[in-house]
C-alpha cells in the first residue's frame, strides 16, 4: 500500500451521478438558447444546447438542475476533473498576485516553471525549451514557424484524417473541408496531406503504411523541401485511430534521416489522456517538437510548443510571443495540474478507465453488428459505427446511428461526442475523475440506445 493512492481522495462538491429532472434541454436552457440565437452567429454551434451552471469532477450541472456524466471533458480539456480543487486554489491565489504583465515585457516565475515541467515530462531526456501560447492552433502555428526557420524549408506535411485547428494555416492542415474550411479560403499553401495508418479501414501493417506515407512525401513533396511532418500520435477529431505497430517510429526515423522536423501534435492525446503523460510514449517516439494544450491547465487557456533546444532557439529574439501567451493565472493552474498528475499517480487512471470501458464496449460489439471497431488507449476510447451487415465487408459509415446514440444518451444524462471523418465514431474522452461505476452506468445507457436503433 503506497501513501500516494489514498492521501488525497478527491472531495466532490457535486454528487457524482446523472440526474435528469426536466426535459432536455429544460426550460431555462431553452430560454437561454433563444437569447443566444439573436447574438451568437450560427457558425458557432453547440453539440448539446443545455446551458451549464456548474461542473465538478466528471459531472456537468445545467441551469435546470439536470446532471450529466461528461464523456467529453470539453474535448479532452478537464482531464483531471472539472473545477479540480488544487487548480481552483492555484488560479485564485494567482489572481490576487498578478494577472498579467506580458512575459515578453516583464517575465514571471510561473512561465519558467511550466517550461521546466514540460521539459521534464515530454518524451526524451535531451535539452528542451518551451514557448507558451493560448490555443492548440496557435501551438501548431508556432511549431511550423520554428520548424521552417530551423530548416530553411517551406513545406509542411500532415496525415489524412488529421485535425490541427481553425486558424488560416491550420485550416489547411485539416483533412475535412466541411465544416472547418469550406468557403474560408484562400488557404495557406505548401501543406501536403499524406496517407496515414487506419488499421480498421486500410488493413496495412505499420511497415506497409509507413512505406506508403514516405513514398508519397518523397514523390509529391521531396524531402529537401519539407520543413516538418506534423502527426497526432492518436488522431483525435479523425476518430481515435491507433496507428499500426511500427508506423510512427518509421516516420520519425525517416524524418531524422532527412532533416525533417518531426512534430507530435499531442493537443488531444497528451497530458495523461492515454495512461502516459504523452501518447508518443506508447510508440517509443521522441518527437523533435511536442505540442500541448487542452488538458494542460485544467480548463484555463494555455498551450505550448516544447522541443529540442537547438531547434527552438532557431527563432530570432522577438520572433515568438503574443499578448496573452503563458498568462500567469493559466500557468499557475498548469503547475497545479502537473502536481496533481504526479502526486496522486493520476496518470495511471487512464489505464483504469480503459480497463473499465473497453471490455464493456467489446461486449456491446458482440451484441450489435453496427459496432465495426472498438479502439483507443487509456481515456481516449472510441467505437466506429457502420451500416448493419457491412462490418466485415464495405464498412459503410453509419453517422445516423452515432447521432441517435448521442441523442438518447443526452436525454438520459450522459454527454457523448462524435468524431471521425464521416461523423460515424462515438468517442469517450472522460476526465480521469470518472469512476468505474459511472462508466458502467453510461455503458448501460448506450446499450439501451443501441437496442432501440
Ligand atoms: N490539434 C489534435 O484536437 C482541437 C476542436 C474543437 P484549439 N480539437 C478540438 C473545435 O471544434 O474547435 C485540436 C486538436 C488537435 C489541434 C487542435 C486545436 O486546438 O485549442 O482548438 O485551437
Amino acid at each position: 500500500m503506497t501513501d500516494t493512492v489514498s492521501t488525497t481522495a478527491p472531495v466532490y462538491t457535486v454528487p457524482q451521478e446523472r440526474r435528469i429532472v426536466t426535459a432536455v434541454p429544460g426550460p431555462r436552457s431553452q430560454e437561454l438558447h433563444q437569447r443566444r440565437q439573436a447574438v451568437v452567429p450560427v457558425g458557432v454551434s453547440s453539440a448539446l444546447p443545455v446551458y451549464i451552471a456548474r461542473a465538478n469532477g466528471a459531472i456537468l450541472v445545467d441551469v435546470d438542475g439536470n446532471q450529466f456524466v461528461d464523456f467529453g471533458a470539453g474535448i479532452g480539456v478537464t482531464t483531471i476533473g472539472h473545477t479540480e480543487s488544487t487548480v481552483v486554489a492555484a488560479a485564485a491565489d494567482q489572481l490576487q498576485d498578478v494577472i498579467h504583465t506580458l512575459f515578453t515585457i516583464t517575465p514571471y516565475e510561473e512561465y519558467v516553471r511550466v517550461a521546466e515541467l514540460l521539459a521534464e515530462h515530454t518524451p526524451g531526456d535531451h535539452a528542451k525549451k518551451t514557448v507558451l501560447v493560448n490555443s492548440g492552433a496557435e501551438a501548431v502555428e508556432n511549431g511550423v514557424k520554428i520548424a521552417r526557420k530551423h530548416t530553411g524549408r517551406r513545406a509542411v506535411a500532415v496525415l489524412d484524417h488529421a485535425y490541427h485547428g481553425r486558424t488560416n494555416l491550420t485550416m489547411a492542415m485539416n483533412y475535412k473541408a466541411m465544416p472547418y474550411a469550406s468557403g474560408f479560403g484562400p488557404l495557406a499553401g505548401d501543406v501536403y496531406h499524406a496517407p496515414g495508418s487506419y488499421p480498421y479501414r486500410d488493413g496495412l501493417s505499420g511497415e506497409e503504411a509507413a512505406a506508403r506515407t514516405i513514398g508519397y512525401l518523397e514523390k509529391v513533396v521531396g524531402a529537401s523541401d519539407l520543413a516538418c511532418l506534423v502527426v497526432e500520435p492518436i488522431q483525435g477529431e479523425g476518430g481515435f485511430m491507433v496507428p499500426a505497430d511500427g508506423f510512427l517510429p518509421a516516420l520519425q526515423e525517416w524524418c531524422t534521416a532527412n532533416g525533417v522536423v518531426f512534430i507530435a501534435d499531442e493537443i488531444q492525446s497528451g497530458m495523461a489522456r492515454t495512461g502516459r503523460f504523452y501518447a508518443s510514449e506508447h510508440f517509443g517516439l521522441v518527437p523533435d517538437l511536442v505540442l500541448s494544450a487542452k488538458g494542460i491547465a485544467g480548463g484555463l487557456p494555455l498551450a505550448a510548443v516544447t522541443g529540442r533546444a537547438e531547434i527552438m532557439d532557431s527563432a530570432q529574439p522577438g520572433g515568438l510571443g503574443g499578448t496573452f501567451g503563458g498568462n500567469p493565472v493559466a500557468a499557475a493552474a498548469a503547475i497545479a495540474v502537473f502536481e496533481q498528475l504526479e502526486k496522486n499517480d493520476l496518470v495511471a487512471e487512464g489505464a483504469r478507465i480503459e480497463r473499465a470501458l473497453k471490455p464493456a464496449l467489446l461486449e456491446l460489439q458482440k451484441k450489435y453488428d453496427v459496432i465495426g471497431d472498438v479502439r483507443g488507449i487509456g481515456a481516449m476510447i472510441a467505437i466506429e459505427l457502420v451500416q448493419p451487415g457491412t462490418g466485415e465487408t464495405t464498412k459503410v459509415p453509419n453517422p445516423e446511428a452515432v447521432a441517435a446514440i448521442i441523442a438518447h444518451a443526452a436525454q438520459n444524462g450522459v454527454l457523448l461526442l462524435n468524431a471521425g471523418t464521416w461523423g460515424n465514431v462515438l468517442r469517450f474522452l472522460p476526465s480521469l475523475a470518472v469512476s468505474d461505476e459511472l462508466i458502467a452506468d453510461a455503458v448501460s445507457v448506450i446499450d439501451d440506445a443501441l437496442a432501440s436503433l
Side-chain angles (χ1 to χ4, degrees):
M1 174 95 193
T2 61
D3 62 358
T4 51
V5 182
S6 55
T7 41
T8 41
V11 177
Y12 294 111
T13 57
V14 169
Q16 299 294 293
E17 62 194 24
R18 63 187 168 99
R19 193 173 75 120
I20 295 298
V21 295
T22 70
V24 175
R28 275 286 290 138
S29 274
Q30 289 184 33
E31 209 179 295
L32 286 167
H33 207 58
Q34 283 294 110
R35 276 171 57 194
R36 170 232 184 100
Q37 312 286 6
V39 289
V40 179
V42 294
V44 183
S45 53
S46 293
L48 179 62
V50 301
Y51 287 70
I52 301 304
R54 278 177 77 193
N56 186 240
I59 302 292
L60 296 168
V61 188
D62 77 9
V63 288
D64 293 290
N66 298 303
Q67 293 192 184
F68 299 84
V69 186
D70 184 5
F71 278 88
I75 316 198
V77 171
T78 54
T79 303
I80 68 166
H82 286 283
T83 57
E84 196 281 323
S85 60
T86 64
V87 169
V88 173
D93 282 352
Q94 187 61 42
L95 281 168
Q96 302 292 333
D97 293 341
V98 55
I99 299 176
H100 176 82
T101 64
L102 211 180
F103 193 77
T104 59
I105 298 180
T106 48
Y108 41 88
E109 181 176 353
E110 289 73 18
Y111 190 118
V112 178
R113 184 65 194 136
V114 172
E116 287 169 350
L117 287 163
L118 283 163
E120 196 182 313
H121 290 289
T122 50
D125 48 17
H126 48 281
K128 297 172 199 155
K129 295 193 174 184
T130 288
V131 55
L132 296 178
V133 291
N134 303 295
S135 68
E138 216 187 328
V140 177
E141 292 261 359
N142 278 278
V144 170
K145 266 165 72 170
I146 293 163
R148 281 178 164 156
K149 186 72 200 250
H150 174 72
T151 58
R153 302 175 184 178
R154 59 180 175 79
V156 174
V158 295
L159 299 179
D160 288 346
H161 306 288
Y163 180 86
H164 297 291
R166 293 179 182 270
T167 58
N168 187 261
L169 172 64
T170 56
M171 273 197 294
M173 295 169 71
N174 298 335
Y175 186 67
K176 278 209 292 205
M178 196 62 188
Y180 306 121
S182 236
F184 298 151
L187 302 182
D190 269 328
V191 176
Y192 297 86
H193 294 255
S197 170
Y198 192 158
Y200 174 60
R201 288 189 176 273
D202 65 27
L204 299 179
S205 71
E207 202 181 327
E208 291 162 345
R212 185 175 66 167
T213 310
I214 291 165
Y216 176 95
L217 295 175
E218 287 182 340
K219 286 280 172 290
V220 179
V221 193
S224 61
D225 277 330
L226 186 58
C228 57
L229 172 64
V230 186
V231 303
E232 298 159 82
I234 299 173
Q235 291 182 318
E237 303 305 302
F240 289 16
M241 292 80 107
V242 180
D245 277 351
F247 173 71
L248 291 172
L251 295 192
Q252 178 179 304
E253 204 176 300
W254 179 84
C255 284
T256 305
N258 289 279
V260 176
V261 178
F262 184 77
I263 304 182
D265 177 344
E266 292 255 19
I267 288 163
Q268 195 157 152
S269 60
M271 292 307 295
R273 171 66 34 205
T274 67
R276 303 281 180 88
F277 249 98
Y278 286 90
S280 287
E281 297 168 45
H282 292 291
F283 309 103
L285 304 176
V286 181
D288 297 315
L289 304 182
V290 176
L291 313 179
S292 310
K294 292 194 186 287
I296 192 172
L300 276 86
L302 188 72
V305 183
T306 304
R308 293 185 187 280
E310 67 279 14
I311 298 179
M312 294 300 292
D313 275 337
S314 52
Q316 61 278 22
L320 305 174
T323 302
F324 291 120
N327 167 271
V329 181
I335 294 164
V337 167
F338 276 103
E339 268 170 18
Q340 277 307 105
L341 288 174
E342 282 172 347
K343 212 165 53 193
N344 295 330
D345 199 19
L346 269 187
V347 181
E349 292 298 287
R352 174 192 54 86
I353 289 167
E354 179 178 338
R355 280 196 303 276
L357 185 54
K358 219 176 182 180
L361 295 173
L362 286 165
E363 280 306 308
L364 290 184
Q365 188 183 27
K366 286 185 198 149
K367 262 168 88 173
Y368 303 105
D369 74 344
V370 291
I371 303 182
D373 195 24
V374 177
R375 59 177 177 250
I377 303 180
M380 193 171 184
I381 304 287
I383 56 179
E384 176 160 354
L385 279 83
V386 294
Q387 299 294 340
T390 69
E392 299 296 321
T393 54
T394 47
K395 300 171 179 164
V396 181
N398 193 345
E400 301 81 13
V402 168
I405 295 167
I406 289 174
H408 176 97
Q411 292 302 321
N412 289 281
V414 178
L415 176 64
L416 293 168
L417 301 177
N418 71 6
T421 292
W422 302 279
N424 67 321
V425 174
L426 191 64
R427 62 175 146 174
F428 301 82
L429 63 169
S431 99
L432 301 177
V434 75
S435 66
D436 289 1
E437 292 70 33
L438 284 177
I439 290 171
D441 185 37
V443 169
S444 75
V445 170
I446 294 162
D447 194 347
D448 291 345
L450 282 158
S452 61
L453 277 181

